[in-house]
Amino acid sequence: MTEPLLEPFDLAGLRLRNRIFSSSHSPGYNVDGTPSDRYVRYHEEKAAGGLGLTMIGGSSNVSRDSASLWGQLSFATDAIVDPLADMVERVHAHGTAIMCQLTHMGRRNVSNDGDWLPTIAPSPVREPMHRFWPKEAEPSDLERVVADFATATRRAVAAGLDGIELTATSHLLDQFWSPLVNRRTDGYGGSLDNRLRFTFEVLEAVRSAADGHLLIGLRMLGTEDQPGGLDEEACCEIAVRLAGSGMLDFLNVAGPSLATDDGLSKAIPTAGTPLAPYLPVAAAVRDAVDLPLLHATRITDLATARHAIESGAVDLVGMTRAHFADPHLVAKLKRGEAGRIRTCVGASLCINRLHLGLDSVCIQNPATGREGTVPQLVARSAGPCRRVIVVGGGPGGLEAARTAAERGHDVVLFEAQDRLGGQLALMARAGERQREVSGLVDWLVDEVALVGVDIRLSTPVDVSDVLAEGPDVVIVATGGTPEVSYMEMGADLVSTAWDVLGGSVRPEGRVLVYDDHGAERGLAVVEFLADKADLLGVSGIEVVTPDRHVGLDLATPLGPTYLRMLYEGGVTMTPDHRLVAVEPTDGGFLRAVMRNEYTRAEVDRMVDAVVVEHGVVPDEDLYVTLREGSANGGVVDLEALTGGRAQPAFTGTDGGYLLYRVGDCVASRDVASALLDARRLLQHL
């Protein structure tokens, strides 16, 4: 049977080799508005992996008063042309089409970055996300921006792009559409015809500047999903008018408004939410217009993507985060290796980091965005086969075992428990969200079995057991144990997140959860307790943190997702307080003493149970004991590690075993760090 996702498609005269595309986004890899080598490698890898169309340059700005906040490309100067032309050539060499977004972000921006120019919008209505009041665009501003779009288009032609996509997802174009932003009384406000006037002026200018050398599309909202804003019916009507203009070659229908944290969290849904939530919105537009239709929102697996095509809802299906997790998705599908695709688990670390001002990385694929030093594919070693012993079957240990086996080495993995997965196996019990994220272990488990790793479950080992295997290399990935020793009193009276999720403790009554982690671990336990409150007999939950707010390390979309859960669950949130002591009372309750981080004032809570999340202490006993007898003393050459080179000891050892450790056995960090540790250490063994 023919695979519908692999069928070629004619997009307004542009022949695409399959129906899968990666939608425009900005991973934060550029620093000067032009494509960096890192950025090019990232997109080139997807092209090498068989992708039909890569759309680059998420929110690429056409004007100086639309600042680049997240490493976007800038089409405001000619500096973009030559480096972009080189990128186009490199992507085309793999048979993949390449397009770029163009936009003016309007009020969806800041005034204190870039050239420190005021943002502009149809009306001076503040945007909640970026918190700045825009200047009301004057006629001269609109004329200037239209001209900037035309000039940017000519630069796109000069660079050899296959097409451009204008952006109307809470950006300047659709800010004119929205009654929430457009309060004008001139020819650009009021009626729908007037609110669309600026968009059509831009389209006319772009079409003329392209002069037939580029496809021109538009990515638009499917709904604002805000009181008083554009609903699905209104957006569909706008789509009909745009399609009827004859100035577009395709439409790309997205989800809700990005102007608020809540909206952005729905537009980029996290794990534990329905797949393809806005596909029905795109399908409604598809029924109403006669243009090729694209859509991309949480389409992470082949079955969902296949349904989107086979149902006729869309012509091209966007698998953007899916390619972040596995840029060789299409190649594996073509080879009949769909079962080896590393499916995106929706952890949203990529997006969360971007909104914390960091670059995007993938929680489950350490090579993504690091292709220059961490190749996506592990090459087989030309050197001697070595015996590698890995102790610990969490994510770090699994990745170490997988990488070493892919290199052609003889690998044994010891795991003390009766199942693989480490802490993620516990986190999976927290609820649907964490169950999906923990699914990243499934791929690792399948891969280590496929490449022939000797897995020994329920097998705790000591030094003599390890040495009895005659190792050339030992990787210690024993993780850590929960940390509670920081408390001044009562550490023996508290439970840990592990206790609760593992089932050894069943809190009931009034429960205080102390979260000194700031990411998902503590809030996942809160979600577990809230979901099972009736079953456990939990009558009230309070989450306390020394941070300025709950979930300090969670930006969008994770932060709003968890806040929604907390509010819906009636959870009390107490920031700025550190748990310092817990003591029993005569009434059988626990007195939790909390100290304000700023005033040092102490307050008490009378509760039935206290649950603490404070990271882990490395379980390093085995490593320390093995270190003295190792050939390298457990030393890692950091320059070689970060530079993507082999450890010097890999080629310079005359005898004895080499020793390394990865993951929480080194320090309390996260899954992405554990996987990166393992991959960088073993990829050149």
Side-chain angles (χ1 to χ4, degrees), residues 133 159 236 275 320 368 383 388 564:
W133 281 267
C236 192
L275 296 173
T320 310
T368 296
V388 180
R564 202 174 296 123

Side-chain angles (χ1 to χ4, degrees), residues 4-20 52-53 249-250 286 291-294 309 314-316:
L5 294 172
L6 297 180
E7 293 177 354
F9 183 74
D10 187 292
L11 181 63
L14 176 65
R15 184 72 167 176
L16 303 178
R17 56 180 168 175
N18 55 59
R19 299 293 190 96
I20 301 174
L53 166 65
D249 296 304
F250 64 89
R286 183 75 179 86
L291 273 181
L293 199 77
L294 288 64
I309 296 296
V314 298
D315 296 297
L316 298 177

Side-chain angles (χ1 to χ4, degrees), residues 208-382:
S208 176
D211 194 25
H213 296 291
L214 292 170
L215 298 190
I216 297 171
L218 184 141
R219 180 174 171 88
M220 63 173 289
L221 294 171
T223 173
E224 282 196 282
D225 192 26
Q226 292 190 32
L230 299 168
D231 58 16
E232 294 177 17
E233 184 178 350
C235 287
C236 192
E237 182 181 355
I238 291 172
V240 170
R241 298 217 186 182
L242 291 169
S245 70
M247 289 188 284
L248 286 174
D249 296 304
F250 64 89
L251 274 174
N252 185 350
V253 177
S257 169
L258 312 181
T260 66
D261 277 336
D262 178 65
L264 187 56
S265 72
K266 293 175 181 177
I268 311 174
T270 65
T273 59
L275 296 173
Y278 298 103
L279 187 60
V281 177
V285 173
R286 183 75 179 86
D287 290 340
V289 304
D290 187 22
L291 273 181
L293 199 77
L294 288 64
H295 177 67
T297 301
R298 192 157 152 74
I299 300 175
T300 59
D301 66 317
L302 293 177
T304 305
R306 192 177 292 118
H307 166 72
I309 296 296
E310 287 185 318
S311 66
V314 298
D315 296 297
L316 298 177
V317 60
M319 302 188 73
T320 310
R321 281 185 283 178
H323 273 80
F324 211 70
D326 195 337
H328 288 251
L329 181 157
V330 175
K332 291 178 180 179
L333 177 60
K334 289 180 67 175
R335 291 197 302 264
E337 298 178 352
R340 299 195 68 180
I341 292 172
R342 187 171 0 204
T343 302
C344 172
V345 295
S348 299
L349 177 68
C350 50
I351 310 298
N352 190 68
R353 282 178 57 87
L354 195 63
H355 286 89
L356 289 172
L358 304 169
D359 57 347
S360 292
V361 299
C362 181
I363 192 173
Q364 57 195 113
N365 187 344
T368 296
R370 300 185 179 99
E371 286 82 2
T373 56
V374 184
Q376 287 284 348
L377 303 179
V378 179
R380 198 163 184 86
S381 172

